[in-house]
Amino acid sequence: MERVDDLQFRGLRLLQDDALPCFTEDAVHLVHFLRLGGRDRVMDIGCGTGVIAVLGAAYTGAAFTGIDVQAPLVELAARSAAMNGQDIRFETLDVREAPAHFGHGSFTAAVLNPPYFSSDTGAPEGARAVSRHADAGLTDAMLRAAFLLLKNGGKLFLCYPCAGLAEILCRLRENRLSPKRMRLVAGSRDAAPYLALIEAKKHAKPGLLMEPILFLHEKS
């Protein structure tokens, strides 16, 4: 069933469908982690229903473009942007085709909320599986596309589970995207961090700044 969600920021709303993948709070944490401005041209890789682009454009003033392989999600994202009066371009496109479609070095930044689950972790089937499974090297394809889409010195912002942190950091380096800033997210001070927010830079020298852990719930 289709619904309209209140994003609780400047009256923004987002269309979602219970039969399709819906955004999680990870995407919202990633938006708050962005360091962008009005001159940035940003590619949202695997945009889903467009929550990162919709919120990110409002938070930062940057110009967003979103792509996803699933046409129903792209259609929802485009309708959400129109409903909010936002000029955001959404296209149905395989990430592997994006560099040739838009041109190499066409963006100053990219955002990525990649698939987290492998095929044996019990992630949902159908349309949800397309968005959430890390099968067939999809994450690597996304990182390769990000490298090609970004100009030299361009930034990639992504989130990833802490359990896979070593893996994603290696993949970033393999794709010549150097991690430069990271913040971990934990449910509380008594819980281990579960999510990593990462800013990487194309063709940058090594050097990682660790920001204070974000605790979502503080004890009174």
Side-chain angles (χ1 to χ4, degrees):
M1 179 180 294
E2 190 173 297
R3 68 177 192 268
V4 179
D5 289 347
D6 182 358
L7 296 180
Q8 300 181 15
F9 182 73
R10 295 184 182 175
L12 293 174
R13 296 174 293 166
L14 192 82
L15 289 164
Q16 299 205 90
D17 191 322
D18 294 332
L20 297 170
C22 297
F23 79 89
T24 69
E25 65 177 8
D26 293 0
V28 179
H29 296 322
L30 182 57
V31 170
H32 292 158
F33 183 70
L34 298 177
R35 286 184 176 177
L36 299 169
R39 295 184 178 180
D40 281 300
R41 303 181 309 279
V42 189
M43 169 58 72
D44 184 359
I45 300 173
C47 64
T49 54
V51 64
I52 293 177
V54 166
L55 276 176
Y59 267 100
T60 68
F64 276 76
T65 299
I67 61 168
D68 200 284
V69 72
Q70 298 190 70
L73 291 175
V74 172
E75 190 263 342
L76 283 176
R79 288 169 55 204
S80 292
M83 179 173 58
N84 292 319
Q86 294 175 300
D87 184 16
I88 302 175
R89 176 181 177 184
F90 291 102
E91 290 196 29
T92 303
L93 188 68
D94 189 303
V95 66
R96 298 167 182 86
E97 301 172 0
H101 182 76
F102 292 101
H104 292 197
S106 297
F107 295 88
T108 62
V111 293
L112 175 59
N113 183 2
Y116 294 163
F117 304 108
S118 63
S119 58
D120 60 355
T121 57
E125 297 180 356
R128 295 176 187 271
V130 174
S131 291
R132 305 309 296 171
H133 282 191
D135 295 341
L138 179 56
T139 299
D140 280 329
M142 289 177 162
L143 294 178
R144 284 194 295 271
F147 175 83
L148 294 173
L149 288 164
L150 288 171
K151 72 172 190 176
N152 288 336
K155 299 176 181 180
L156 171 65
F157 300 89
L158 72 154
C159 55
Y160 211 78
C162 288
L165 185 55
E167 178 184 12
I168 196 64
L169 291 177
C170 288
R171 289 184 176 186
L172 284 166
R173 291 291 294 165
E174 289 169 356
N175 285 279
R176 292 169 286 175
L177 296 162
S178 183
K180 301 299 293 180
R181 183 170 65 99
M182 181 163 63
R183 188 173 198 185
L184 303 181
V185 181
S188 69
R189 293 186 180 274
D190 298 329
Y194 69 92
L195 184 70
L197 305 170
I198 304 168
E199 176 186 330
K201 192 173 183 180
K202 179 175 177 176
H203 286 318
K205 295 180 179 179
L208 177 62
L209 171 66
M210 288 296 303
E211 295 188 347
I213 295 176
L214 172 62
F215 297 107
L216 301 181
H217 306 289
E218 296 280 1
K219 289 185 177 180
S220 57

